[in-house]
Amino acid sequence: MSANLVYVLNGPNLNLLGMREPEIYGSDTLDDIAGMLEDRAQELGLEVEVRQSNHEGHLVDWLHEANAEGAKAVLLNAGAYTHTSIALLDAIKSIKVPVIEVHLSDPMTREPFRHVSYVGMGAVGEVKGLGAQSYVVALEKAAKL
Ligand code: DQA
């Protein structure tokens, strides 16, 4: 059991944060965000495990792993898979660990194809539209679970 461990799982193209459409996603890199999360986690008495993959199945496997590890929560920014992946929804529904959906931007104010969230159909909560701070606020939510 890792009752203080929070997995922070990031999907496709989030490895390019910092240079990827900075007018939408900001200038922080994923490493910067990981650093912010580690600092806040320490204050909250938590540990974070930050990962990124461009492959849907890796995200599914990591959700299963978080469950097997008895993690406290998963923060999931599934990137574009948010809007397409029934496999991720099924994984979220298959595990006991609560999942919080995270987005840097607010997909609801963007193109209509971003308005559907399969992740959101299984998640216990969401934080979006705050840039890198979305992750920190989501971690604070996770601390209260
Ligand atoms: C995103 C929003 C998604 O629509 C998009 O596909 C991403 C990033 C966000 O963090 O704002 O890759 O998840």
Side-chain angles (χ1 to χ4, degrees):
M1 279 289 280
S2 314
N4 291 329
L5 180 61
V6 176
Y7 278 64
V8 183
L9 303 182
N10 294 279
N13 303 304
L14 294 168
N15 53 314
L16 298 181
L17 281 181
M19 54 181 270
R20 175 192 180 199
E21 299 181 275
E23 66 286 1
I24 298 175
Y25 299 116
S27 54
D28 290 309
T29 66
L30 195 54
D31 279 350
D32 294 335
I33 292 172
M36 287 177 207
L37 287 172
E38 276 154 21
D39 291 348
R40 191 69 185 110
Q42 205 171 11
E43 291 165 0
L44 293 166
L46 298 172
E47 277 176 59
V48 284
E49 172 73 27
V50 181
R51 296 188 190 167
Q52 187 277 332
S53 177
N54 294 322
H55 304 278
E56 188 176 12
H58 289 167
L59 298 168
V60 171
D61 287 344
W62 292 340
L63 286 163
H64 296 177
E65 180 188 310
N67 192 53
E69 286 291 321
K72 181 174 183 61
V74 175
L75 312 187
L76 176 60
N77 184 349
Y81 290 140
T82 303
H83 317 299
T84 62
S85 180
I86 297 168
L88 281 177
L89 172 59
D90 284 349
I92 293 166
K93 288 168 86 169
S94 301
I95 62 176
K96 292 206 172 79
V97 181
V99 174
I100 299 177
E101 179 180 8
V102 181
H103 300 286
L104 296 128
S105 67
D106 180 355
M108 289 307 288
T109 64
R110 300 180 62 194
E111 305 95 320
F113 60 80
R114 296 185 202 275
H115 294 183
V116 170
S117 172
Y118 287 99
V119 168
M121 292 175 203
V124 299
E126 73 172 342
V127 184
K128 60 187 183 179
L130 306 175
Q133 272 302 112
S134 291
Y135 287 85
V136 176
V137 172
L139 186 66
E140 288 163 355
K141 269 188 187 243
K144 293 186 188 136
L145 290 172

